[in-house]
Amino acid sequence: GLQASLGGLDDFVEKLKARQKHNDEDIRLAIRRQAATGRRARADLDEAKSAVRELFERIKAIKAKAEQSEELVSDVCRDIKSLDIAKRNLTLTVTALKRLVMLVTALEQLRTLGSCRKYEEASRLIHAVDELAGHFRELNHVNRVADLLEKKSAILDDLKQQLMDDYVSVLGGPVRHELPDDWGTSAAFCVDALGPAMRREVVTQFCLRILEDYKDIFQPPKEASGLETAE
């Protein structure tokens, strides 16, 4: 019976060894699987970190391009504004030059019309000259403009003097120039265009000339004046 029991014990030991071997194999397999899983996890983590870094780099690049684009837009807007200002200044300069040429031309025409005593046509030019000269009064510090405005004043003064000489001759004074048939109407247009001061001067000359005829009539005789003084 003892031998049989010992024989059964050997079988049991063999089974335990076989079971242990199987368990050892399962443990090694489990360890290998865990190791493989760990490596994959590390690889996945490294890949994720790399993807995040790449994403940040892309975001950084996009931000840099956006800032660059914004700066480019600002530069373009600034250039457009500068061009707009330059265009506006150029337009103003061209307009000023056109007006300057028109003023020079109008002054020469006014001088010619005045010397020919074409007063009605000259009256229309006086208005045009005054309007054109008004654009340059703020530029009086510029020598060329100042000379031109002085020329305008001189031409108008000559025209006024010529008109006054004509009126004096009409009122019985010395005739310096033969006057055209429509002189009175055209001269009135010109006097009106030259302004209120010129009108007052003409009226004053008329009044003085008319009163001149009455001066001898109403002035006391010299003899009477002397007797009154003696008394």
Side-chain angles (χ1 to χ4, degrees):
L2 181 59
Q3 189 174 358
S5 297
L6 289 174
L9 183 59
D10 290 336
D11 291 336
F12 180 72
V13 169
E14 288 299 326
K15 287 180 180 181
L16 284 177
K17 287 180 178 180
R19 183 65 179 269
Q20 183 180 5
K21 183 179 179 181
H22 182 70
N23 289 340
D24 290 341
E25 187 66 26
D26 289 341
I27 290 171
R28 283 194 297 272
L29 182 60
I31 290 172
R32 284 197 296 270
R33 287 176 178 173
Q34 184 63 35
T37 301
R39 285 194 298 273
R40 282 198 301 272
R42 283 193 298 273
D44 292 341
L45 181 59
D46 291 340
E47 187 176 353
K49 288 180 178 180
S50 177
V52 169
R53 281 195 299 271
E54 185 178 354
L55 179 61
F56 274 118
E57 289 297 326
R58 289 184 179 181
I59 292 173
K60 186 177 178 182
I62 292 172
K63 185 179 179 181
K65 286 183 179 179
E67 291 175 352
Q68 197 174 28
S69 299
E70 184 178 354
E71 185 178 353
L72 179 62
V73 170
S74 298
D75 290 342
V76 171
C77 290
R78 187 165 52 251
D79 291 343
I80 291 174
K81 186 176 180 181
S82 299
L83 288 172
D84 186 55
I85 293 173
K87 180 183 176 183
R88 189 158 55 247
N89 290 338
L90 181 61
T91 302
L92 291 174
T93 302
V94 170
T95 302
L97 287 173
K98 286 181 179 178
R99 286 172 176 164
L100 193 65
V101 171
M102 290 170 65
L103 180 57
V104 171
T105 304
L107 285 174
E108 289 303 319
Q109 290 176 348
L110 181 59
R111 186 200 299 274
T112 302
L113 291 172
S115 64
C116 295
R117 285 176 167 75
K118 294 183 179 180
Y119 291 135
E120 185 173 354
E121 296 175 40
S123 69
R124 291 191 286 269
L125 268 181
I126 290 171
H127 294 300
V129 164
D130 284 338
E131 183 178 352
L132 288 169
H135 295 292
F136 296 100
R137 288 196 179 96
E138 294 182 358
L139 299 175
N140 198 31
H141 58 280
V142 179
N143 292 335
R144 182 70 180 89
V145 174
D147 292 343
L148 195 60
L149 294 179
E150 287 180 8
K151 180 180 180 182
K152 167 186 171 284
S153 298
I155 290 174
L156 291 179
D157 288 342
D158 290 344
L159 182 59
K160 290 176 184 178
Q161 186 59 51
Q162 181 177 293
L163 276 166
M164 291 309 302
D165 292 342
D166 289 350
Y167 275 109
V168 168
S169 67
V170 169
L171 293 171
V175 178
R176 300 183 181 181
H177 193 280
E178 184 178 351
L179 302 179
D181 295 336
D182 63 342
W183 173 88
T185 304
S186 62
F189 279 116
C190 203
V191 169
D192 190 59
L194 287 169
M198 184 64 182
R199 286 197 295 271
R200 285 194 298 271
E201 190 170 351
V202 170
V203 171
T204 301
Q205 287 296 327
F206 261 102
C207 293
L208 291 175
R209 180 64 187 87
I210 293 171
L211 292 174
E212 187 73 26
D213 295 335
Y214 294 94
K215 186 164 65 170
D216 293 336
I217 298 173
F218 291 100
Q219 185 175 4
K222 293 181 180 179
E223 295 79 2
S225 177
L227 289 172
E228 290 173 1
T229 304
E231 292 177 358

